[in-house]
Amino acid sequence: VGNVDTNWFNCANWEGLAVPSFTTDVTIDATAINIAVVDYTAPYSNEYSDIANANHLNISGSTLQIQASTNNVLEVHGNLQISGTGILDMDDSTVAADGQLYLFGNWTNIVGNTAFEEGNGTVYFTGTSPQIINNVTPLGTEVFYNVVLNNSFDTSVSNDLVAEGNLVINSGRVLNIDGAGY
């Protein structure tokens, strides 16, 4: 609800007065008074090991910003969805490394490519079953900057995978690109 400030780690910003855990479904919608910002330098961040968590995350009418620094980490233990007028912002518009997003479920952006501002952040696909990047208009898939595959990835199951920066496939993981994929 963002009642007090933008700090993800401030319990007063959350309905129920509790900072989300990896079992908490989170919706950030248009009723939020302030945007949500993941910043490891923010008050109370140390109490959560500087890691913002959510189970399923739906950004539907406001902005979630992951500040610039590899120390700024958001873990989504379920699915991530961007819808409505939601924006996921990992871009600080500098050459410095932006934040990190660990995704254990599927990626769905039904707004369009402009709703995800990738900057030069890193997205880790870390699921235990095949993960899906759902259709994103107008390109047909999401555009990421750095991608780390902590899970095998198959374009015949998901959509295509676009990494404008680095693509890292961790040991023991496989990237399968079907005949129609890239």
Side-chain angles (χ1 to χ4, degrees), residues 30-154:
T31 64
I33 295 169
N34 291 294
I35 69 168
V37 177
V38 174
D39 181 357
Y40 80 102
T41 66
Y44 318 115
S45 175
N46 290 342
E47 295 175 30
Y48 301 93
S49 302
D50 299 326
I51 298 174
N53 281 286
N55 184 31
H56 298 297
L57 174 61
N58 181 7
I59 308 166
S60 64
S62 187
T63 298
L64 169 57
Q65 182 178 27
I66 303 173
Q67 288 288 77
S69 171
T70 57
N71 293 321
N72 292 314
V73 177
L74 171 63
E75 292 183 359
V76 179
H77 292 265
N79 298 323
L80 182 143
Q81 177 173 301
I82 306 170
S83 62
T85 56
I87 295 174
L88 175 55
D89 182 1
M90 294 179 70
D91 185 10
D92 72 341
S93 300
T94 70
V95 296
D98 289 328
Q100 300 181 67
L101 170 65
Y102 287 80
L103 180 61
F104 292 77
N106 296 326
W107 178 283
T108 302
N109 176 351
I110 59 177
V111 178
N113 293 100
T114 58
F116 174 53
E117 300 171 6
E118 72 274 5
N120 53 12
T122 302
V123 176
Y124 295 78
F125 286 93
T126 308
T128 55
S129 60
Q131 290 174 270
I132 298 171
I133 302 170
N134 289 298
N135 286 330
V136 180
T137 58
L139 301 179
T141 193
E142 194 67 75
V143 177
F144 302 99
Y145 189 71
N146 294 322
V147 173
V148 176
L149 296 178
N150 285 330
N151 187 12
S152 294
F153 195 87
D154 190 335

